[in-house]
Each structure stands twice: as structure tokens, then as C-alpha cells.
């Protein structure tokens, strides 16, 4: 089972140093900059990523190299698109980090424009596709065309830009999840059956929610990762998807829930709880389905770990993912990163990375979920199966959230 090539472009260790400006806003010179500063990280074809950039006052201080501010994940087709000249460009695309002072805001109805401090550019080159770790830049650099800004010596930006190979396995459901489809691996134009699965829904009954389940089994195809004996990974409904009191949709106060379980290596008839997925509908101008996933860590001092909480458009669908880098920057509570493959419950608080994603369609559409799983979390077929079971639970949660049709 060969993975597809992906690379992770990470930008971290960010800091801004401006002579005459200290952390508390004290200054020297004829005018001041408005802090905090904001940086936009741009790469053609990807959404702009925006966040606060810290101010560094001491010349001897170096920002933490492990602090990742942004990450981009590129597959072969993305790199080819970036290397192709744009319609008005003679050169390849660039990674751009644009630094501004303050935020866009208004005062007494009058708009106040943020001020551009400077821009760092790094051209995309074919060597990015060599599939080996490389540090593209690390250190301080003057940004902007001028060495002086508002009478203050020009700003310096510190950053660390690194490329790492990050291969992934890609799987797709051949039909609707409720129709117990085969799960195939996509390798370019090759489609290889990997799992067969079964979905059972004996009504959505509060009396016996565990009668509703989804399970997968390895179909015996030739793979080159670890064990080949057949096992099953399953997802059971533990809390039925029923409307909350006074409304006709599954609300946050009483979400539906799935228990994701994996078989015991020594005793295939035994099950171990692995994760819990809760889902409910968020009402608004455009309804969303919220999927919240906890990793079950029995006996761990931190208790069950929140790994993902994602809003998916009810109408258009979207992507559920576990990406501890991305979510740590967006979440108010800390997100944790799994350390290793089969023992996914082992947690490394320092690391952050993409783990998996599952793309689903909106309500009323044939979803056929597309699942991406990073290779470093796969040591055996069972590791793939447990994430496929999670993806199935996400898709079934989406389909079970549909509002009843009016007569």
C-alpha cells in the first residue's frame, strides 16, 4: 500500500524586532508604530493565514523554533501549479509574509488603515519536490524597501521556514456510507479495494442505540505494512440522534454520539474504546453540523483529549480534520498531538501536525467520503481501519442531522 507524496511547508519561530520599540510600547524617534502587529502568510492557491506576530525587544532573544505559526500541505499537483508562471508573472509563485501594524478598525466612523511594515518573499523552486527535509530560511532579515520607517530604524523579521516530506494514504468510499460500500485506496489512477464494511440501522431507537453500528474489515488485499490477519474496527451509536425538546433538530444541549472502538490484538472478540464523536446542528443563516472528537485515554492524567471540533456546512458539506497545529492556533483550549501510530493515545504536547481529514458532501447529496491519513500514524491495517471508522461516523452524523421535510 504505497502512499502519495505530500510535503509540509511550515513557518515558525516568528518575531518582529524594531529598534526603539519595546514590549510595553515605549518608543524613541519621531513617531510610533501601532502594536500589536499582524502578519499575513500567503501562498498562491491557498487561503491566506493571519495571526498576531510577537514583538521581540532584546537583540539577544531568538523566538522559539518549535512555535509553528502556519503550515501548508502540498501534493504533487499543488507544486506543479505553483511552479507554473501566472498569466502576468514571469517567475514562479512566492511564499509571502506581509507584516502590518495593528488591525483594520474605525474611530468615530472614520476608517483607520493598517500600516504596511514590510514583506518577506521566498520563491517556490522545483527542489521543493525532492522529498527530503530542508530548512529554507532561518534567522533575522530586514523587511521592506526602506531601512527607516516613521523615523524609526527599519524592522527585522525572524522566521524559520522548513520543508518536510509528509506522505499520506488516500481512501474513498465507493458509495453512500449507509449502503455498506467498499473502501478503496487511491494511488493516482489505480483504485485498490482495502476494506469491506457493514452499516446496520435498526431504527434510531433510544431504547437500544448500540443496535446502530458501522464496522469495517480488512479484505485480504496484499499490503506491505505490518499484520495481514483480518480484524474489524467499529463505530457504535451511544447517544441517538433525536431532536431536543422544543425543536426539530439535534441541538448542542443533547448531541448524538458515536463510540469508536478497535479490536484487541490478542483477543479479536474484545473491543477497546478509542474515541468519541459527538455531533449536533448549529442553526443560523446557514446551518452547520458541528463534529467534536475526543480521544479516549483511560488512566491518563489529562483525561479524554479534545482533538477536533469542526463546523461543516449542512448545505455544501466540508472537511472534518484532526490537525493539532491548525487547531491549536484556533482553539481557546489546548489541542494535543498524538505521538505515535498504533499507540495513538500517547500524547506529545510539544509536537503538532496533520493527522487525518475526511471530506463529505452536504445533506441530500451522495457523499462518498474522501479520507486522507498521514503515513506516520500507520503501522498496520488496523490503524487505517480506525480512522476510516471515524470518517464513517462523521458522514453518518451529517446524514442523521437532516431536518424533517415539511408536509
Amino acid at each position: 500500500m504505497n502512499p502519495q507524496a505530500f510535503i509540509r511547508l511550515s513557518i515558525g519561530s516568528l518575531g518582529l524586532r524594531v529598534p526603539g520599540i519595546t514590549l510595553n510600547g515605549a518608543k524613541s524617534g519621531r513617531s510610533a508604530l501601532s502594536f500589536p502587529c499582524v502578519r499575513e502568510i500567503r501562498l498562491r492557491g491557498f487561503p491566506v493565514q493571519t495571526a498576531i506576530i510577537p514583538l521581540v525587544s532584546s537583540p539577544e532573544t531568538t523566538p522559539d523554533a518549535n512555535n509553528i505559526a502556519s503550515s501548508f500541505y502540498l501534493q504533487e499537483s499543488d507544486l506543479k501549479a505553483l511552479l507554473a508562471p501566472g498569466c502576468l508573472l514571469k517567475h514562479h509563485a512566492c511564499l509571502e509574509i506581509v507584516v502590518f501594524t495593528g488591525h483594520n478598525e474605525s474611530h468615530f466612523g472614520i476608517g483607520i488603515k493598517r500600516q504596511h511594515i514590510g514583506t518577506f518573499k521566498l520563491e517556490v523552486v522545483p527542489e521543493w519536490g525532492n522529498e527530503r527535509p530542508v530548512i529554507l530560511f532561518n534567522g533575522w532579515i530586514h523587511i521592506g524597501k526602506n531601512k527607516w520607517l516613521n523615523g524609526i530604524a527599519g524592522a527585522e523579521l525572524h522566521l524559520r521556514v522548513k520543508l518536510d516530506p509528509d506522505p499520506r494514504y488516500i481512501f474513498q468510499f465507493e458509495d453512500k456510507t449507509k449502503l455498506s460500500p467498499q473502501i478503496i485506496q487511491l494511488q493516482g489512477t489505480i483504485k485498490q479495494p482495502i476494506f469491506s464494511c457493514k452499516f446496520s440501522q435498526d431504527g434510531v431507537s433510544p431504547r437500544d442505540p448500540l443496535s446502530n453500528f458501522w464496522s469495517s474489515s480488512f479484505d485480504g488485499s496484499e499490503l506491505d505494512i505490518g499484520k495481514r490477519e483480518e480484524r474489524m474496527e467499529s463505530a457504535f451509536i451511544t447517544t441517538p440522534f433525536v431532536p431536543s425538546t422544543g425543536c426539530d433538530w439535534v441541538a448542542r444541549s443533547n448531541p448524538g454520539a458515536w463510540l469508536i472502538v478497535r479490536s484487541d490484538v490478542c483477543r479479536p472478540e474484545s473491543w477497546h474504546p478509542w474515541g468519541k464523536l459527538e455531533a449536533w446542528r448549529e442553526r443560523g443563516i446557514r446551518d452547520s453540523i458541528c463534529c467534536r472528537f475526543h480521544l479516549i485515554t483511560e488512566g491518563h492524567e489529562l483525561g479524554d483529549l479534545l482533538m477536533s471540533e469542526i463546523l461543516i456546512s449542512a448545505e455544501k458539506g466540508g472537511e472534518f480534520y484532526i490537525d493539532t497545529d491548525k487547531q491549536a492556533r484556533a482553539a481557546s483550549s489546548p489541542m494535543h498531538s498524538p505521538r505515535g501510530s498504533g499507540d495513538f493515545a500517547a500524547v506529545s504536547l510539544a509536537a503538532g501536525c496533520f493527522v487525518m481529514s475526511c471530506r463529505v458532501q452536504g445533506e441530500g447529496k451522495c457523499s462518498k467520503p474522501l479520507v486522507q491519513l498521514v503515513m506516520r500514524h500507520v503501522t498496520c491495517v488496523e490503524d487505517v481501519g480506525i480512522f476510516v471508522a471515524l470518517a464513517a461516523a462523521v458522514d453518518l452524523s451529517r446524514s442523521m442531522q437532516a431536518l424533517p421535510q415539511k408536509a
Side-chain angles (χ1 to χ4, degrees):
M1 186 167 71
N2 297 320
Q4 293 194 23
F6 275 75
I7 56 174
R8 178 186 185 225
L9 174 66
S10 60
I11 301 96
S13 191
L14 280 174
L16 185 67
R17 186 169 64 192
V18 182
I21 299 294
T22 63
L23 287 175
N24 60 10
K27 59 188 180 299
S28 62
R30 291 176 299 184
S31 60
L33 294 176
S34 172
F35 288 95
C37 289
V38 177
R39 54 102 179 125
E40 291 184 352
I41 300 183
R42 306 170 181 172
L43 188 63
R44 190 174 72 198
F46 293 85
V48 175
Q49 300 183 25
T50 305
I52 300 295
I53 185 169
L55 182 65
V56 178
S57 59
S58 171
E60 293 78 24
T61 301
T62 300
D64 184 3
N66 295 318
N67 186 1
I68 304 300
S70 294
S71 296
F72 297 91
Y73 296 96
L74 289 70
Q75 55 185 319
E76 186 178 359
S77 58
D78 296 324
L79 186 57
K80 286 182 178 179
L82 290 168
L83 292 172
C87 58
L88 300 177
L89 301 174
K90 296 181 181 179
H91 303 288
H92 301 152
C94 288
L95 170 71
E96 292 185 320
I97 301 177
V98 188
V99 181
F100 301 92
T101 60
H103 303 276
N104 282 330
E105 55 185 358
S106 62
H107 185 64
F108 295 108
I110 301 175
I112 301 175
K113 292 184 178 179
R114 59 185 180 176
Q115 186 175 9
H116 176 230
I117 294 180
T119 301
F120 170 86
K121 292 186 178 183
L122 186 66
E123 186 177 6
V124 179
V125 295
E127 286 73 21
W128 283 25
N130 287 346
E131 298 185 34
R132 55 184 176 84
V134 59
I135 296 176
L136 302 175
F137 185 88
N138 186 30
W140 290 98
I141 186 171
H142 283 282
I143 56 175
K145 296 181 180 179
N146 302 316
K147 293 185 178 180
W148 291 79
L149 180 65
N150 288 356
I152 301 174
E156 291 180 287
L157 178 68
H158 188 280
L159 73 161
R160 185 174 187 262
V161 184
K162 187 181 180 185
L163 281 178
D164 288 291
D166 202 40
R168 301 180 184 181
Y169 297 109
I170 301 179
F171 306 93
Q172 186 159 33
F173 289 55
E174 283 200 302
D175 208 332
K176 292 181 180 180
T177 308
K178 285 186 176 182
L179 298 181
S180 302
Q182 277 227 313
I183 288 86
I184 59 174
Q185 184 193 3
L186 302 180
Q187 297 173 275
T189 58
I190 301 174
K191 297 181 179 181
Q192 180 184 11
I194 299 294
F195 293 99
S196 55
C197 68
K198 179 182 179 182
F199 173 65
S200 174
Q201 185 180 31
D202 184 18
V204 183
S205 170
R207 293 172 298 177
D208 186 17
L210 293 181
S211 65
N212 301 272
F213 70 92
W214 184 95
S215 64
S216 69
S217 60
F218 173 45
D219 73 354
S221 302
E222 284 299 319
L223 302 181
D224 57 4
I225 53 169
K227 307 164 192 172
R228 291 179 171 80
E229 58 266 34
E230 180 175 334
R231 302 211 185 273
M232 298 180 70
E233 320 298 332
S234 297
F236 294 89
I237 289 182
T238 55
T239 304
F241 288 75
V242 295
S244 296
T245 304
C247 61
D248 57 358
W249 66 89
V250 180
R252 185 188 188 103
S253 59
N254 187 34
W258 294 84
L259 180 66
I260 317 296
V261 298
R262 65 184 308 163
S263 56
D264 189 292
V265 174
C266 300
R267 296 180 298 170
E269 70 281 0
S270 300
W271 301 97
H272 291 291
W274 177 79
K276 180 181 181 181
L277 179 75
E278 297 176 303
W280 64 89
R281 178 179 287 267
E282 293 281 358
R283 301 303 307 276
I285 298 175
R286 293 181 176 85
D287 282 11
S288 297
I289 307 302
C290 185
C291 293
R292 180 169 60 197
F293 174 69
H294 281 87
L295 189 67
I296 296 176
T297 54
E298 295 181 355
H300 196 284
E301 60 180 5
L302 294 175
D304 294 349
L305 303 180
L306 175 62
M307 301 302 297
S308 185
E309 186 168 326
I310 305 294
L311 286 173
I312 298 174
S313 169
E315 178 186 1
K316 298 181 180 179
E319 186 177 54
F320 170 86
Y321 57 84
I322 300 175
D323 184 338
T324 52
D325 248 4
K326 189 174 182 180
Q327 294 220 271
R329 296 190 295 270
S332 56
S333 58
M335 293 287 179
H336 306 294
S337 175
R339 181 192 311 242
S341 59
D343 186 14
F344 189 76
V347 176
S348 168
L349 302 182
C353 55
F354 171 88
V355 177
M356 64 87 69
S357 68
C358 168
R359 181 163 293 279
V360 297
Q361 297 297 319
E363 293 173 342
K365 300 176 182 177
C366 182
S367 195
K368 297 183 181 181
L370 182 70
V371 182
Q372 294 190 10
L373 173 59
V374 75
M375 188 181 76
R376 64 178 170 272
H377 286 299
V378 178
T379 59
C380 58
V381 178
E382 291 85 345
D383 292 337
V384 177
I386 198 70
F387 285 103
V388 170
L390 173 58
V394 169
D395 188 51
L396 291 169
S397 297
R398 171 200 61 86
S399 63
M400 291 177 179
Q401 294 280 353
L403 290 172
Q405 297 295 321
K406 295 181 179 180

